[in-house]
Amino acid sequence: MCITLEKPRLEWADGYHAMLRASIKHDGDYPYNNTSLALSDFDTFVQELQDEAKGVDLPEGIPRQQTYFIVLDGKIVIGELRYRPSISAPYEQYNGHIGSNLHPSYRGKGYGTVATRLALDIAKADGLSGVQVTVEGQNPASVRVIEKLGGAQQKQFSVEGQIVTAFWIPLD
């Protein structure tokens, strides 16, 4: 098993589409990226993600983020991870440095832990002393990943009626 974080490229279109469709079928939606654009015009979607990574045309207070595709054995897109090298108020109150999603068939198998560990290496290389990671609602699998990586709960709050828990993972 080899997990890598790959920057979005056109070659990953079919795999990303399969991951999106499976996630939507299993979870009912996929609110983490511009799903309709990804399915209709992958080239423009990739450009949008590249612009986000550079901070191009983002609304005030929204930090730049690098989206990575989580790839298994160099072939299969099994999810995506979003990394924000900095977060500031008011965004930081509700979101974190790292967010990820896995294809339903690959959940609970350790892939999320490996992908998040790779993101922590990127954050450490960027000079961060730690990262905030948030979990929406009841998601014990995400909490286990965070705790395996040394994270501890910081705070809990409600966003639009949903409980969100913020964790801090130190990067000593």
Side-chain angles (χ1 to χ4, degrees):
M1 166 188 82
C2 177
I3 296 291
T4 56
L5 298 180
E6 302 291 337
K7 290 184 178 177
R9 295 189 310 267
L10 296 180
E11 69 187 75
W12 300 115
D14 291 342
Y16 188 80
H17 288 158
M19 186 273 301
L20 276 181
R21 287 186 180 105
S23 294
I24 291 167
K25 182 177 181 182
H26 185 271
D27 301 327
D29 66 353
Y30 194 86
Y32 308 104
N33 267 328
N34 191 341
T35 305
S36 60
L37 182 61
L39 292 170
S40 66
D41 185 351
F42 198 75
D43 188 27
T44 301
F45 174 69
V46 167
Q47 184 61 54
E48 182 177 270
L49 296 179
Q50 290 170 347
D51 289 347
E52 281 182 355
K54 295 174 189 168
V56 174
D57 294 330
L58 294 176
E60 186 176 337
I62 301 297
R64 68 183 178 88
Q65 69 177 8
Q66 176 64 62
T67 296
Y68 294 97
F69 296 159
I70 303 170
V71 177
L72 175 63
D73 295 330
K75 300 176 192 169
I76 305 166
V77 177
I78 64 168
E80 75 175 339
L81 183 141
R82 291 160 308 283
Y83 167 66
R84 300 168 200 97
S86 66
I87 52 176
S88 58
Y91 191 83
E92 52 78 29
Q93 292 179 14
Y94 309 106
N95 294 280
H97 291 92
I98 298 170
S100 64
N101 309 89
L102 286 175
H103 184 298
S105 298
Y106 294 91
R107 295 174 187 167
K109 299 178 180 180
Y111 299 121
T113 302
V114 173
T116 303
R117 185 174 290 121
L118 292 171
L120 295 178
D121 291 341
I122 294 168
K124 193 178 233 182
D126 282 347
L128 276 63
S129 62
V131 296
Q132 179 173 291
V133 182
T134 57
V135 176
E136 298 172 3
Q138 296 296 315
N139 190 336
S142 291
V143 172
R144 278 192 304 276
V145 167
I146 293 164
E147 290 175 342
K148 277 188 215 176
L149 297 171
Q153 183 175 328
Q154 278 186 307
K155 59 187 173 182
Q156 207 168 51
F157 46 89
S158 178
V159 176
E160 297 177 6
Q162 175 150 301
I163 298 296
V164 177
T165 306
F167 295 83
W168 182 258
I169 302 175
L171 299 176
D172 306 297

